[in-house]
Amino acid sequence: MSRNWDQTLKDWAETINATDEERGRSAREAIQQAIRGAPKLEQKGIDVFVTGSYRNNTNTRADSDIDVAVVLRDLAFYEFPADGSVTREILGLRTSDYSFGAFRNDVEAALQARFGTGNVTAGARLLGADGEATRRRGPQALRRLPPG
């Protein structure tokens, strides 16, 4: 079946409507509840916010996914240039036993506890929650979180 590209482009050009805005807010809140309910994450400084097309008001239609960022504010995960021109010592940074991989795993576990293990997939670039399965506990959402 061929797609009517004129209509598709017109649809994409429309501004976000109240339903789409509610889907974005609801996705953020569902993920935030998952994070707050996770014993390993509840005491950490974490921000959860809608990002991507919903935030930028581009390609936000009822059939599109929702990008939600989960950001740990307590730590910074970093990589320095191999030439040694910038180091942890130069910047006065302290080390931590909590790695980025541990953070990603803790977020994945929190999402699985909230949405069900079978409804959360870990991909090469993100964690995803199945939209239909999560509607019972919150709307479709994708969390962009690189692998640990």
Side-chain angles (χ1 to χ4, degrees):
M1 173 191 245
S2 67
R3 188 170 194 164
N4 181 339
W5 285 104
D6 286 336
Q7 186 59 48
T8 299
L9 293 172
K10 286 176 187 175
D11 291 343
W12 286 350
E14 292 177 10
T15 59
I16 192 167
N17 63 36
T19 302
D20 287 335
E21 193 168 325
E22 173 61 22
R23 285 182 69 228
R25 185 191 63 74
S26 208
R28 182 193 55 78
E29 287 178 2
I31 293 167
Q32 193 166 34
Q33 288 173 4
I35 299 300
R36 287 184 179 157
K40 291 184 177 182
L41 297 172
E42 64 185 355
Q43 297 300 316
K44 297 193 181 307
I46 296 177
D47 289 337
V48 179
F49 54 90
V50 175
T51 187
S53 62
Y54 265 71
R55 180 168 186 204
N56 297 328
N57 192 23
T58 57
N59 297 344
T60 54
R61 302 298 156 244
D63 62 342
S64 67
D65 65 3
I66 302 168
D67 297 327
V68 178
V70 178
V71 179
L72 177 65
R73 297 286 184 201
D74 294 345
L75 298 173
F77 301 108
Y78 52 83
E79 291 183 24
F80 293 120
D83 66 4
S85 59
V86 178
T87 66
R88 187 176 40 113
E89 292 78 16
I90 290 171
L91 297 176
L93 300 175
R94 297 176 297 175
T95 60
S96 172
D97 292 336
Y98 193 60
S99 69
F100 182 78
F103 173 61
R104 185 181 196 274
N105 291 340
D106 290 346
V107 170
E108 183 176 4
L111 297 175
Q112 289 174 341
R114 169 94 176 152
F115 302 117
T117 302
N119 296 319
V120 176
T121 42
R125 293 183 23 105
L126 55 89
L127 296 171
D130 178 66
E132 187 59 37
T134 60
R135 281 192 232 301
R136 293 182 294 275
R137 297 177 195 96
Q140 179 178 6
L142 292 178
R143 275 86 33 217
R144 296 197 180 278
L145 199 57

